[in-house]
Amino acid sequence: MHPTFHPSFVHFLKEFNDTYDYFECHELLEDYWKEIAPRQKSHPLAALILLSTSMYHWRRGNNTGAIKTMSGSINRLEKTRQSPFYETINYTKLMHDATNALRLMRENKAFSKFHIEIENVQLLSLVNDMEVENREDLHFLIHKHMLRDRSEILEEREKQKKRRDDL
């Protein structure tokens, strides 16, 4: 199976292009990245995680965070340009759009979304056929990291802290 046909990647494209839930994009790709290339910061999924994070920060008005993460995303996109992860999407347009977004962020311009163009017919069909919850609540999309249930995350942090303290 091509790596972009993985359900998490298909779901990422659907969220990025249709719901603009960049926080969810980050979560989806982070899980996939941890599954296939944990801790490999120079992986294309890490570049796309940073892209999603940047878009989330920009829409929230956190230009400092948006600029930092978009710069990192562009750097990693360039370093991984030969990856199979870019075979099914328009990499040239993605780089253009990411670079343009970074310019707009640096100029302190208003948030402006863009799409990741899918060039593979089979992938496009998978994305188009995927059903996702329509999240029209912009307040929730913008502040999702603060409004979601974080009990699992906090519990895991406590477990890790206890492990470190026990060493």
Side-chain angles (χ1 to χ4, degrees), residues 2-161:
H2 194 277
T4 60
F5 293 175
H6 187 282
S8 293
F9 196 84
V10 172
H11 195 170
F12 154 74
L13 289 171
K14 184 71 170 185
E15 297 287 356
F16 196 96
N17 289 345
D18 292 355
T19 68
Y20 317 110
D21 188 342
Y22 304 114
F23 189 88
E24 186 67 20
C25 289
H26 171 280
E27 297 292 294
L28 289 162
L29 289 187
E30 187 173 52
D31 288 344
Y32 185 23
W33 175 62
K34 286 178 179 177
E35 180 183 316
I36 65 169
R39 302 193 200 293
Q40 288 183 20
K41 302 231 185 237
S42 61
H43 194 277
L45 289 176
L48 295 170
I49 290 167
L50 287 173
L51 176 77
S52 302
T53 303
S54 179
M55 297 298 283
Y56 183 76
H57 284 309
W58 188 18
R59 184 167 55 195
R60 293 190 77 244
N62 176 3
N63 273 21
T64 302
I67 290 167
K68 180 179 179 184
T69 52
M70 187 62 80
S71 296
S73 174
I74 291 169
N75 185 339
R76 290 179 191 184
L77 285 165
E78 288 171 344
K79 286 181 180 176
T80 60
R81 78 174 49 149
Q82 300 303 319
S83 171
F85 278 91
Y86 308 131
E87 292 172 350
T88 57
I89 63 173
N90 186 334
Y91 173 83
T92 302
K93 181 181 179 301
L94 175 62
M95 285 299 293
H96 174 271
D97 290 342
T99 302
N100 185 57
L102 179 59
R103 179 185 58 77
L104 293 172
M105 291 169 194
R106 287 181 171 149
E107 293 173 0
N108 213 23
K109 301 287 184 183
F111 169 77
S112 178
K113 63 187 176 231
F114 61 86
H115 291 94
I116 297 174
E117 184 178 310
I118 303 166
E119 293 185 324
N120 178 281
V121 175
Q122 186 179 357
L123 180 59
L124 182 59
S125 179
L126 289 170
V127 171
N128 286 339
D129 290 347
M130 178 172 270
E131 303 247 347
V132 294
E133 181 183 339
N134 189 358
R135 298 170 193 91
E136 294 181 8
D137 182 356
L138 188 58
H139 177 76
F140 182 74
L141 286 177
I142 292 173
H143 304 292
K144 192 170 184 176
H145 75 285
M146 296 185 300
L147 300 174
R148 67 190 168 118
D149 178 8
R150 301 190 53 202
S151 53
E152 281 185 37
I153 295 166
L154 297 174
E155 192 175 301
E156 182 61 29
R157 279 188 193 158
E158 280 303 312
K159 285 180 189 175
Q160 303 237 350
K161 183 180 183 296

